[in-house]
Amino acid sequence: MDYFLTEEQQMIRDTAREIASEKIIPVRAELDEKNEFPTSILEDMAKADLFSIFIPEEYGGFGGGCFEIVLALEELARGCVGVATSYAASALGIFPVLIAGSEEMKKKYLPDVAAGTRWAAFGLTEANAGSDAGGVQTTAVLDGDEWVLNGTKQWITNGGEAHLYTIVALTDPRKGARGASIFLVEDGDPGFSYGKKEDKMGIRASATRELILKDCRIPKDRLVGRQGTGFITVMKTLDISRPGIASLGVGLGQAALDEAVTYAKQRVQFGKPIISFQAISHMLADMAIQVEAARALVYAAARHIDSNPKKMSKASSMCKVFATDMAMKVTTDAVQVLGGYGYMKEYPVEKMMRDAKILQIYEGTNQIQRNVVGQELNKEYAS
């Protein structure tokens, strides 16, 4: 369908599509097998200015919004969700600085992020703070001109590969979530280290590690925003980033549909290509309908967020749920269309099905997203 993209938006889409076709697809199986971080591909993205999309022009970026990020991520995910996640996580990691950082902080860090020479990561999740993001236990204590951070972050995307980490920590534990603040920690800061790289079911090209903060000392000016406003910034960050996860689902669903249709046209049984059988053609038709419906919702939600930044929670959660549930179903159906071949690593739909599962889990499980939508409905229909 024609979504009336501007010339700049078409350029973003086409650039990301070219990288997916030429750089990602030829090596995605190898990256998955080796559990290998796609450093060289991220460097190619930097050369193509993809990291500048989400950075304002005054800091060396393109000045795009949620919609432009969605366009890029969808195309990258058609190549590999693991690689696309590595790119998306850098945007997620720097969003708190964009939302709440001081002008001095933005001038210092954003140009390097826009150039793709420094990658970012978001340090929120802990062993006891997953869906209950307010359960963070990492602490930050001011000691003279330095903050001292102690705690452990779990399952952090880009952990050990990123150069910049936005860390959520309690500056006043007595206030719970209202006592949370955000800090910018750099790779190499004293007291900052990494745990083992996780061995995951899917998105294996993406690096996932623990972040360990043991008397980690950082300068006083690395506080992002005002003290005690960290949880508000976290919620705003996730509202902006969730359509990106939804777009990964759209790209993955499209890739699985492409593989399934191509196979169904080539595979002959009972003397005919299997696409000629109604059982298969109806399955493919449902897959196509679901992909296009998800794309329409994600695009609409992204455009809504860009024009209504104060009212984005419901749209953000709705598109994340719909598109990622779609990706799980469509990739499962793609495996079914390919039959025994679909279950083999020689064919890409096996990997796509494994990759799809995490989309329903990270950046807020789909059960949590349904809670958000329900809460927003409750507010809207309050008497």
Side-chain angles (χ1 to χ4, degrees), residues 162-176:
H163 311 89
L164 306 171
Y165 297 82
T166 43
I167 302 295
V168 182
L170 297 178
T171 46
D172 189 345
R174 295 170 301 176
K175 295 182 178 179

Side-chain angles (χ1 to χ4, degrees), residues 66 69-70 73 88 92 95 122 124 130-131 133 234-249 298 301-302 305 312-324 359 361-366 368-373:
C66 184
I69 297 171
V70 159
L73 285 172
L92 173 66
F95 278 156
F122 186 52
L124 171 62
S131 292
V234 165
M235 294 299 101
K236 290 179 179 179
T237 294
L238 294 175
D239 278 345
I240 294 171
S241 68
R242 279 172 180 146
I245 303 305
S247 68
L248 296 182
V298 173
I305 286 169
M312 54 187 175
S313 294
K314 186 175 76 169
S316 176
S317 292
M318 287 173 71
C319 74
K320 198 269 187 182
V321 167
F322 190 82
T324 59
L359 300 178
I361 298 172
Y362 65 8
E363 286 204 40
T365 66
N366 284 5
I368 289 293
Q369 302 316 308
R370 288 177 169 89
N371 282 353
V372 172
V373 174

Side-chain angles (χ1 to χ4, degrees), residues 276-296:
S276 65
F277 297 109
Q278 190 178 72
I280 299 298
S281 66
H282 279 194
M283 184 181 292
L284 295 172
D286 285 341
M287 292 163 68
I289 292 166
Q290 292 164 51
V291 170
E292 202 61 60
R295 179 179 290 116

Side-chain angles (χ1 to χ4, degrees), residues 90-107:
S90 192
L92 173 66
I94 209 64
F95 278 156
V97 175
L98 287 166
I99 293 168
S102 66
E103 187 63 23
E104 292 74 19
M105 179 176 283
K106 291 177 181 178
K107 288 180 178 178

Side-chain angles (χ1 to χ4, degrees), residues 3 49 69 122 137 172 201 257 262 324 328 334 343 358 362:
Y3 288 98
D49 289 331
I69 297 171
F122 186 52
Q137 296 176 347
D172 189 345
M201 176 174 76
L257 173 63
T262 299
T324 59
M328 191 71 251
Y343 203 68
I358 191 60
Y362 65 8

